[in-house]
């Protein structure tokens, strides 16, 4: 599998390509990373240094890859944060070039706009770019719930309204929607949920929420979900992608933290047990229950207490 990944690069920390490339390589993906920025660190630190590449810079890199025959047999183009119109145009140009050489390639876009807490943190021109020009060209988008609402002009705050917003997004262009953080009133506050909606139905996966905030986890999730979807062809693999995030990237740091932390929540290492239970495989689905405008089936990924739950909309 080959993926052209056009994202930011940082030397200190892990976001963008600095977060996504290595996990993809670990599962056997041939990644061609193209930077949009080369920063010292994530901008969330408040101060950083390094250049932001122009759209022409990105085009030159992609053109060089094309000259080497590197755009042949590409399975996906992956993009994340887009700093301006020129970068967005360059990414769309790269998608067109890839699909010329690899007609079956998909464009997977993480439409980075902001979050419900801080609102949009990109310029108005980038907001318009992503909503009006990038999303219609994407085959797969991976917004958070806030970004999904912005793209569709809705305010999803429940499972039902999030499903409806995802359907609206699919009317714009992308056939696969991964909502990376579903916030709803009846969700267990110690869990986090992701929702996938496709032509075949909808699936939501719930896992224990890890303590603290980890920049770059969304970038890894989008990348691994894209790779597993391409590899298996089944949208249920977003649960496997989240498992990869836990076990490959976050479990070891949490284990080390639990040694030095007095927090009982960390000492329990609940996410680690949830990951282990996933490896036991899925149980047979119970009878379908009605919900939303269609039926929802609940699949238990494990019979253990700390389990992952999948809701499948028929």
């Amino acid at each position: 599998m080959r993926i052209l990944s056009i994202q930011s690069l940082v030397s200190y920390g892990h976001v963008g390509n600095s977060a996504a490339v290595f996990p993809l390589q670990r599962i056997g993906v041939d990644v061609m990373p193209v930077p949009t920025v080369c920063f010292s660190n994530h901008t969330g630190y408040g101060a950083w240094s390094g250049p932001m590449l122009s759209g022409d810079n990105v085009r030159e890199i992609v053109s060089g890859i094309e000259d080497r025959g590197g755009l042949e047999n590409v399975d996906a183009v992956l993009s994340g944060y887009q700093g301006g119109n020129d970068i967005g145009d360059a990414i769309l140009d790269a998608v067109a070039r890839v699909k010329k050489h690899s007609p079956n390639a998909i464009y997977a876009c993480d439409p980075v706009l902001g979050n419900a807490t801080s609102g949009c943190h990109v310029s108005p021109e980038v907001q318009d770019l992503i909503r009006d020009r990038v999303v219609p060209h994407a085959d797969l988008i991976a917004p958070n719930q806030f970004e999904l609402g912005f793209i569709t002009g809705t305010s999803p705050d429940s499972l039902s309204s999030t499903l409806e917003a995802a359907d609206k997004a699919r009317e714009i262009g992308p056939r696969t929607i991964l909502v990376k953080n579903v916030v709803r009133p009846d969700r267990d506050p110690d869990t986090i949920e992701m929702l996938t909606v496709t032509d075949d139905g909808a699936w939501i996966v719930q896992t224990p929420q890890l303590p603290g905030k980890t920049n770059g986890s969304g970038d890894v999730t989008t990348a691994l979900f894209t790779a597993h979807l391409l590899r298996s062809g089944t949208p249920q693999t977003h649960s496997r992608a989240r498992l990869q995030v836990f076990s490959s990237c976050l479990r070891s740091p949490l284990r080390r933290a639990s040694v030095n932390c007095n927090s009982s929540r960390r000492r329990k290492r609940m996410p680690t047990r949830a990951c282990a239970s996933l490896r036991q495989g899925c149980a047979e689905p119970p009878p379908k229950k009605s919900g939303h405008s269609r039926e929802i089936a609940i699949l238990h990924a494990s019979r253990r207490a700390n389990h992952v739950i999948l809701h499948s909309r028929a």
Side-chain angles (χ1 to χ4, degrees):
M1 182 185 300
R2 176 177 288 180
I3 292 179
L4 179 70
S5 182
I6 309 175
Q7 302 192 60
S8 56
L9 182 149
V10 297
S11 297
Y12 181 84
H14 302 281
V15 295
N17 271 338
S18 298
V21 171
F22 180 65
L24 285 173
Q25 291 173 331
R26 285 282 292 162
I27 62 171
V29 177
D30 177 13
V31 189
M32 298 181 291
V34 176
T36 54
V37 303
C38 294
F39 285 166
S40 57
N41 53 267
H42 182 248
T43 56
Y45 284 95
W48 66 92
S49 59
M52 176 179 290
L53 276 69
S54 67
D56 287 339
N57 294 145
V58 172
R59 285 189 182 89
E60 289 173 4
I61 296 172
V62 174
S63 179
I65 296 172
E66 184 178 30
D67 291 342
R68 306 282 77 76
L71 300 188
E72 301 285 347
N73 301 315
V74 171
D75 295 283
V77 178
L78 180 65
S79 73
Y81 173 75
Q82 302 184 24
N85 272 340
D86 61 336
I87 292 291
D89 288 335
I91 291 173
L92 290 176
D93 181 63
V95 172
R97 290 192 189 198
V98 166
K99 291 197 173 188
K100 177 182 176 182
H101 295 280
S102 305
N104 293 326
I106 69 167
Y107 173 32
C109 171
D110 187 346
V112 180
L113 293 165
N115 55 65
T117 302
S118 59
C120 280
H121 53 61
V122 297
S123 66
E125 68 172 13
V126 173
Q127 296 172 30
D128 294 341
L129 165 75
I130 291 176
R131 181 188 58 213
D132 301 332
R133 293 167 54 206
V134 173
V135 170
H137 284 87
D139 301 289
L140 181 161
I141 61 171
N144 59 36
Q145 197 172 27
F146 168 83
E147 292 162 341
L148 176 66
F150 180 87
I151 290 167
T152 58
T154 61
S155 300
D157 59 0
S158 65
L159 181 57
S160 177
S161 60
T162 303
L163 284 166
E164 291 172 358
D167 286 338
K168 285 182 178 291
R170 295 177 69 247
E171 292 173 0
I172 298 172
R175 304 313 301 160
T176 300
I177 313 294
L178 170 65
V179 186
K180 289 184 292 190
N181 186 15
V182 178
V183 178
R184 55 191 179 94
D186 51 346
R187 190 197 75 194
D188 185 334
D190 291 327
T191 64
I192 187 169
E193 295 178 338
M194 294 191 300
L195 172 73
T196 301
V197 182
T198 72
D199 291 337
D200 298 323
W203 296 262
I204 189 165
V205 61
Q206 181 189 91
T207 64
Q209 185 169 7
L210 297 176
K213 178 183 177 182
T214 306
N215 290 322
S217 58
D219 301 318
V220 179
T221 298
T222 302
L224 291 175
F225 173 78
T226 300
H228 285 304
L229 181 64
L230 288 168
R231 182 167 287 169
S232 71
T234 58
Q236 293 95 321
T237 53
H238 73 328
S239 62
R240 185 178 179 187
R242 173 56 78 178
L243 170 61
Q244 292 282 355
V245 175
F246 280 161
S247 62
S248 299
C249 302
L250 302 179
R251 187 175 58 176
S252 293
L254 279 174
R255 182 178 293 148
R256 290 194 298 268
S258 68
V259 174
N260 301 316
C261 179
N262 291 325
S263 169
S264 61
R265 182 179 180 183
R266 288 194 179 186
R267 283 201 303 271
K268 291 179 181 177
R269 298 212 309 268
M270 194 162 94
T272 302
R273 293 203 298 272
C275 287
S277 67
L278 251 184
R279 296 192 183 96
Q280 298 176 358
C282 294
E284 291 296 322
K288 292 183 177 181
K289 300 180 181 180
S290 61
H292 191 49
S293 60
R294 283 162 269 189
E295 290 186 336
I296 295 180
I298 303 176
L299 291 83
H300 294 269
S302 170
R303 295 181 178 85
R304 293 179 57 169
N306 292 323
H307 58 265
V308 173
I309 303 173
L310 294 173
H311 301 269
S312 174
R313 188 180 67 187

